Amino acid sequence: MQRGTFQLMKSVNKSIILNKIRTCEPISRAQIAKETELTPPTVSSIVKELLEQGMVYEQKKATSMGGRRPTMLYINKTAYYLVGVDAGPETMNAIVTDLGGTILGRISYVLNTPITEASFLDVMKQSINEVVRLANVKMEEIMGIGVAMHGVVEVATGKSLYAPNLKLTDIPIKEALEQEFCVTVKVENDARAMALGEAWFGGHGDLGSMVTVNLGRGVGAGIVTDGKLFHGAKDIAGEIGHMTIDINGEICECGNHGCLQTFATGPAIVRRAQRKLAERGAEHSFKLTAESVFELAKAGNTLYVDVLEETGFAIGIGLTNVIHIVNPEKIVLGGGVMKSEEFLLPIIKKTVNNNALTEGAKNTEVKVTKLGKDATVLGAVALLLVEIFDSVLG
Amino acid sequence: MQRGTFQLMKSVNKSIILNKIRTCEPISRAQIAKETELTPPTVSSIVKELLEQGMVYEQKKATSMGGRRPTMLYINKTAYYLVGVDAGPETMNAIVTDLGGTILGRISYVLNTPITEASFLDVMKQSINEVVRLANVKMEEIMGIGVAMHGVVEVATGKSLYAPNLKLTDIPIKEALEQEFCVTVKVENDARAMALGEAWFGGHGDLGSMVTVNLGRGVGAGIVTDGKLFHGAKDIAGEIGHMTIDINGEICECGNHGCLQTFATGPAIVRRAQRKLAERGAEHSFKLTAESVFELAKAGNTLYVDVLEETGFAIGIGLTNVIHIVNPEKIVLGGGVMKSEEFLLPIIKKTVNNNALTEGAKNTEVKVTKLGKDATVLGAVALLLVEIFDSVLG
DNA sequence: GATATTTTTTTGCACTATTCAAATAAAACG
DNA sequence: CGTTTTATTTGAATAGTGCAAAAAAATATC
């Protein structure tokens, strides 16, 4: 239980100040005091500590407003560095960033499946070593490692409970990396990590709550409230891919009927296009992909436009369900499927607007991510940034 | 922004101690210190204050464990009294309770629709005055009023934005009652209030997160995490009644297809039974109600058993969707529909177990409320109890 | 029954970190 | 160049927890 101690008092204020600097940089002590309602001496003493720690640096402002020139404060982004790892089903991506999330180095490995637990962890360790070397950073300057792992993750222990594509269970990622590198290690599900990446780096300001949905080979979502991830009791909050929206619908790989995944993934789009073609007795002479469905729709072929509109409608239904349960301020969509944004987004928005119950729900902002492929691996880094900047514990 | 001040430090500890007494009553200062890891002097000084405020009282224990006899502490449940109001579509129920949630008086009014805003508020004021009188409590001893209002509620302002059955909009409930009675007033949606009532009075211990679903004429849910309600951005979190589970299904009153409400409300059960009867060309000579469907099913009539099993399956699907998004530790079901628990619960549990993805999700506890009709009005009272016992602000 | 032991609670002082008021610093303005 | 304004620091006051020891009140032991 978090008691009311002097440490709590101080760490709350430290957190407030650090975040104020981070979000309003450059900012003076006096401004911080005014805007946070902390007293000037409190701000001064905490800033002094932050300067000593090297987390923050000073710089005089050129002009003033008719008084002593304020000393502007900045986050010392290169005080420490962070490693983010995105361990997908087929590839392992790693980056090194500074505290501002600027990527200083990146590396990518292809995983050969099937793989043993030991060699999976070896690849991970090697990719971390390698990317740190490439970024020209000393291992001692690394403050922590964040891992976005596909499949089911137990956050508290940092274990991958079940990684379907690798056919591995109970991989002790956190334990292995902490032993190897002696730094903080955070492990999170990849969809949730992506959501955190979006919340921190997507340019959304200080949202109360936001849901990020990844529409790729599967569908996953992450719920971020007050800059922090919502996990749920067993770390599966946001698993919307297998949300039933069509109780009598197509059988999903999970065995249930009409999961959102039977509508809104790349393979699902291909399947639906093929089915439509078959219905019309048409043949397709080339191998159909989600990309080609998009291309054909752009070329004006109504069959493919219809497929994408059906997909958009289903996504809209799924999002409306999410809105009615979680009621976020904003929903951000990402993943390969959203490359067809041109066709999908209008109908998604229209569906949400038609189907949502209240004005507040209808007006939920729905956007497409601008972060691209880095969202997940940046999310892995953000797992650490949350600890550093938003911690009320340390 | 909540700063780190001495008040914060103290109120955190006060909250910890007050809650410890509440949940572990009777308990001595020494035990509190041991179990909360607060120091004995801190506990003593805060308890002294609580005694002075009258929130807590002392009593010596008869026996000891080989040392000074501990002074046991109790919450002084009759120090203050609370009013809870359940403003449903047709009736207005009000209760007075002590701080332990013991009901000291109750009253019920039938609302004549249509009704004007002024007379609606008058009935509410009158019911409060009347129930306080009935409970033999002085108005000055009332610490606050909690209102569970059906329809869409704006929590921050305490306004009822939209009350469908009364055909009223923008009723300033909080404002009106605070002006009249000069006490704290909290207004909340009735389904969410019910969820809070269940969390506080349902005997569930200290759950991290819990979802309570009310299956009556409509379907509504409330999400409670760490003893507090989750509202979402626009106060509609938990509106699962219009969750689409059958994209091509029956048209709902909201205009969409296949909402959970088209399966799992009393009227929906009746409709489905009638449809089944019509399919078989059968006639029902009496007016069918949800109760009679249950009775007929109990009597062994397979048609009605089928209807209830379909209903249970749909509820199971809906709950699985909720589990995959919010991932609560426990789901509690209430409302008139659950009178058919005998038929519904087994299939609901089976469906969740079959359809949920992970072990953790499958094992989500699903129970039926034991609180009965008082859940909502007790939830209205709990709105105030949260403030009193869990407040970190005052 | 006197003494030792144990347990509970309080007391007094130390410590931490904020708060308030005032001092200092440094620039702009006239 | 003095006055005003704004920024930051200093030092005493204050609030509240933490620690150690004392006091209180019971039981256990001889």
Side-chain angles (χ1 to χ4, degrees), chain A residues 180-304:
Chain A
E180 179 84 10
F181 298 104
C182 302
V183 293
T184 315
V185 175
K186 296 263 156 195
V187 185
E188 187 52 87
N189 164 269
D190 57 349
R192 277 199 300 269
M194 181 186 143
L196 196 65
E198 186 67 38
W200 274 71
F201 299 113
H204 302 285
D206 273 355
L207 284 173
S209 61
M210 177 173 139
V211 169
T212 302
V213 181
N214 186 27
L215 301 144
R217 291 193 198 181
V219 178
I223 304 163
V224 178
T225 37
D226 297 318
K228 278 161 203 152
L229 276 172
F230 182 79
H231 295 100
K234 302 281 179 189
D235 296 331
I236 57 151
E239 282 291 343
I240 65 169
H242 298 280
M243 174 203 294
T244 303
I245 60 170
D246 186 3
I247 206 165
N248 301 306
E250 184 183 331
I251 292 186
C252 175
E253 56 187 359
C254 73
N256 299 335
H257 290 259
C259 295
L260 185 54
Q261 291 212 167
T262 64
F263 293 87
T265 65
I269 290 173
V270 172
R271 266 201 319 278
R272 287 182 177 264
Q274 284 171 331
R275 207 174 306 151
K276 268 212 158 55
L277 283 165
E279 274 169 23
R280 300 200 185 168
E283 291 264 344
H284 53 285
S285 51
F286 54 95
K287 192 166 177 290
L288 204 59
T289 65
E291 283 79 22
S292 54
V293 170
F294 176 44
E295 291 305 326
L296 288 159
K298 264 205 291 199
N301 191 323
T302 54
L303 183 145
Y304 300 97

Side-chain angles (χ1 to χ4, degrees), chain A residues 40-289:
Chain A
T42 301
V43 174
S44 264
S45 95
I46 288 177
V47 165
K48 196 178 163 194
E49 257 181 55
L50 292 172
L51 286 166
E52 279 163 9
Q53 280 177 245
M55 279 293 290
V56 163
Y57 69 91
E58 290 181 318
Q59 202 174 286
K60 285 263 181 232
K61 203 182 181 181
T63 57
S64 90
M65 293 274 287
R68 175 173 170 175
R69 259 191 328 187
T71 315
M72 303 316 267
L73 300 167
Y74 301 78
I75 297 290
N76 186 2
K77 287 173 187 161
T78 58
Y80 303 99
Y81 298 93
L82 305 168
V83 174
V85 181
D86 172 11
E90 282 149 19
T91 58
M92 174 105 64
N93 301 307
I95 59 171
V96 170
T97 75
D98 62 21
L99 292 179
T102 305
I103 298 175
L104 303 172
R106 61 191 336 145
I107 201 168
S108 191
Y109 283 88
V110 174
L111 294 174
N112 301 313
T113 47
I115 193 170
T116 65
E117 178 180 306
S119 52
F120 173 77
L121 288 172
D122 278 344
V123 173
M124 195 176 275
K125 287 175 198 167
Q126 201 193 319
S127 68
I128 293 168
N129 274 316
E130 198 60 15
V131 78
V132 169
R133 202 184 55 77
L134 282 170
N136 248 322
V137 169
K138 287 180 202 116
M139 208 67 218
E140 304 87 67
E141 294 176 297
I142 299 292
M143 204 186 204
I145 301 168
V147 179
M149 177 74 196
H150 74 284
V152 183
V153 171
E154 191 175 68
V155 172
T157 59
K159 267 189 189 171
S160 161
L161 294 184
Y162 178 50
N165 284 58
L166 302 176
K167 308 220 160 107
L168 293 177
T169 56
D170 291 309
I171 318 170
I173 297 177
K174 182 183 164 80
E175 195 189 313
L177 296 185
E178 278 182 348
Q179 202 167 53
E180 179 84 10
F181 298 104
C182 302
V183 293
T184 315
V185 175
K186 296 263 156 195
V187 185
E188 187 52 87
N189 164 269
D190 57 349
R192 277 199 300 269
M194 181 186 143
L196 196 65
E198 186 67 38
W200 274 71
F201 299 113
H204 302 285
D206 273 355
L207 284 173
S209 61
M210 177 173 139
V211 169
T212 302
V213 181
N214 186 27
L215 301 144
R217 291 193 198 181
V219 178
I223 304 163
V224 178
T225 37
D226 297 318
K228 278 161 203 152
L229 276 172
F230 182 79
H231 295 100
K234 302 281 179 189
D235 296 331
I236 57 151
E239 282 291 343
I240 65 169
H242 298 280
M243 174 203 294
T244 303
I245 60 170
D246 186 3
I247 206 165
N248 301 306
E250 184 183 331
I251 292 186
C252 175
E253 56 187 359
C254 73
N256 299 335
H257 290 259
C259 295
L260 185 54
Q261 291 212 167
T262 64
F263 293 87
T265 65
I269 290 173
V270 172
R271 266 201 319 278
R272 287 182 177 264
Q274 284 171 331
R275 207 174 306 151
K276 268 212 158 55
L277 283 165
E279 274 169 23
R280 300 200 185 168
E283 291 264 344
H284 53 285
S285 51
F286 54 95
K287 192 166 177 290
L288 204 59
T289 65

Side-chain angles (χ1 to χ4, degrees), chain B residues 4-6 29-30 41 44 66-68 70-71:
Chain B
T5 60
F6 292 99
R29 290 166 174 77
S44 263
R68 174 174 172 172
T71 314

Side-chain angles (χ1 to χ4, degrees), chain B residues 2 12 27 47 53 61 94 161 193 220 264 275 283 335 350 364 377:
Chain B
Q2 182 58 270
V12 166
I27 190 171
V47 165
Q53 280 178 246
K61 204 181 182 181
L161 294 185
R275 205 174 306 150
E283 290 263 344
K350 195 176 129 194
T364 309
V377 74

Side-chain angles (χ1 to χ4, degrees), chain B residues 214-383:
Chain B
N214 186 27
L215 301 144
R217 289 192 200 187
V219 178
I223 303 164
V224 178
T225 38
D226 297 319
K228 279 162 203 151
L229 275 172
F230 182 80
H231 295 101
K234 303 281 179 191
D235 296 330
I236 58 151
E239 282 290 346
I240 65 170
H242 298 280
M243 173 202 295
T244 303
I245 60 171
D246 187 3
I247 207 165
N248 300 308
E250 184 184 329
I251 292 187
C252 176
E253 56 186 359
C254 72
N256 300 334
H257 289 259
C259 295
L260 185 53
Q261 291 213 166
T262 64
F263 292 87
T265 64
I269 290 172
V270 172
R271 266 199 320 276
R272 286 181 179 264
Q274 284 172 331
R275 205 174 306 150
K276 267 209 158 55
L277 283 165
E279 274 169 21
R280 300 202 188 167
E283 290 263 344
H284 53 287
S285 50
F286 55 96
K287 191 165 180 286
L288 203 59
T289 65
E291 282 80 21
S292 54
V293 170
F294 177 43
E295 291 304 325
L296 289 159
K298 265 205 289 198
N301 192 322
T302 55
L303 185 144
Y304 300 97
V305 173
D306 285 355
V307 169
L308 289 180
E309 291 200 335
E310 273 175 36
T311 307
F313 177 66
I315 296 171
I317 294 287
L319 296 187
T320 308
N321 285 353
V322 171
I323 291 171
H324 285 159
I325 298 177
V326 178
N327 189 21
E329 276 176 52
K330 193 188 243 181
I331 294 182
V332 179
L333 305 172
V337 170
M338 288 314 292
K339 283 180 191 154
S340 310
E341 170 182 354
E342 182 183 334
F343 292 96
L344 295 174
L345 194 58
I347 190 144
I348 291 173
K349 284 186 174 178
K350 195 176 129 194
T351 308
V352 168
N353 203 276
N354 283 344
N355 287 40
L357 279 179
T358 66
E359 276 309 304
K362 283 179 196 294
N363 294 333
T364 309
E365 216 179 315
V366 179
K367 281 195 168 180
V368 175
T369 179
K370 284 168 194 156
L371 279 184
K373 280 212 160 181
D374 284 330
T376 306
V377 74
L378 280 171
V381 168
L383 294 169

Side-chain angles (χ1 to χ4, degrees), chain B residues 75-335:
Chain B
I75 297 289
N76 186 3
K77 287 172 186 160
T78 58
Y80 304 99
Y81 298 93
L82 306 167
V83 174
V85 180
D86 172 13
E90 282 149 18
T91 59
M92 175 106 64
N93 302 306
I95 58 170
V96 170
T97 74
D98 62 21
L99 293 178
T102 304
I103 298 175
L104 303 173
R106 61 191 337 144
I107 201 167
S108 192
Y109 283 89
V110 174
L111 294 175
N112 301 314
T113 47
I115 193 169
T116 64
E117 179 181 305
S119 52
F120 173 77
L121 287 172
D122 277 344
V123 173
M124 195 175 273
K125 287 176 199 166
Q126 200 192 319
S127 68
I128 293 168
N129 274 316
E130 198 60 15
V131 77
V132 169
R133 201 184 56 76
L134 281 171
N136 248 323
V137 167
K138 288 181 200 114
M139 209 66 215
E140 304 86 68
E141 295 176 297
I142 298 292
M143 203 186 203
I145 302 168
V147 179
M149 177 73 194
H150 74 284
V152 183
V153 171
E154 192 175 67
V155 172
T157 58
K159 267 190 189 170
S160 161
L161 294 185
Y162 179 49
N165 285 57
L166 302 176
K167 306 218 161 108
L168 292 176
T169 55
D170 292 308
I171 318 169
I173 298 178
K174 183 184 163 80
E175 195 188 312
L177 295 185
E178 278 183 348
Q179 201 166 53
E180 178 83 10
F181 298 105
C182 301
V183 293
T184 315
V185 176
K186 297 263 155 193
V187 186
E188 187 51 88
N189 164 269
D190 57 351
R192 277 199 300 270
M194 181 186 143
L196 195 65
E198 186 66 38
W200 273 72
F201 300 111
H204 302 286
D206 274 356
L207 284 172
S209 59
M210 176 172 138
V211 170
T212 302
V213 182
N214 186 27
L215 301 144
R217 289 192 200 187
V219 178
I223 303 164
V224 178
T225 38
D226 297 319
K228 279 162 203 151
L229 275 172
F230 182 80
H231 295 101
K234 303 281 179 191
D235 296 330
I236 58 151
E239 282 290 346
I240 65 170
H242 298 280
M243 173 202 295
T244 303
I245 60 171
D246 187 3
I247 207 165
N248 300 308
E250 184 184 329
I251 292 187
C252 176
E253 56 186 359
C254 72
N256 300 334
H257 289 259
C259 295
L260 185 53
Q261 291 213 166
T262 64
F263 292 87
T265 64
I269 290 172
V270 172
R271 266 199 320 276
R272 286 181 179 264
Q274 284 172 331
R275 205 174 306 150
K276 267 209 158 55
L277 283 165
E279 274 169 21
R280 300 202 188 167
E283 290 263 344
H284 53 287
S285 50
F286 55 96
K287 191 165 180 286
L288 203 59
T289 65
E291 282 80 21
S292 54
V293 170
F294 177 43
E295 291 304 325
L296 289 159
K298 265 205 289 198
N301 192 322
T302 55
L303 185 144
Y304 300 97
V305 173
D306 285 355
V307 169
L308 289 180
E309 291 200 335
E310 273 175 36
T311 307
F313 177 66
I315 296 171
I317 294 287
L319 296 187
T320 308
N321 285 353
V322 171
I323 291 171
H324 285 159
I325 298 177
V326 178
N327 189 21
E329 276 176 52
K330 193 188 243 181
I331 294 182
V332 179
L333 305 172

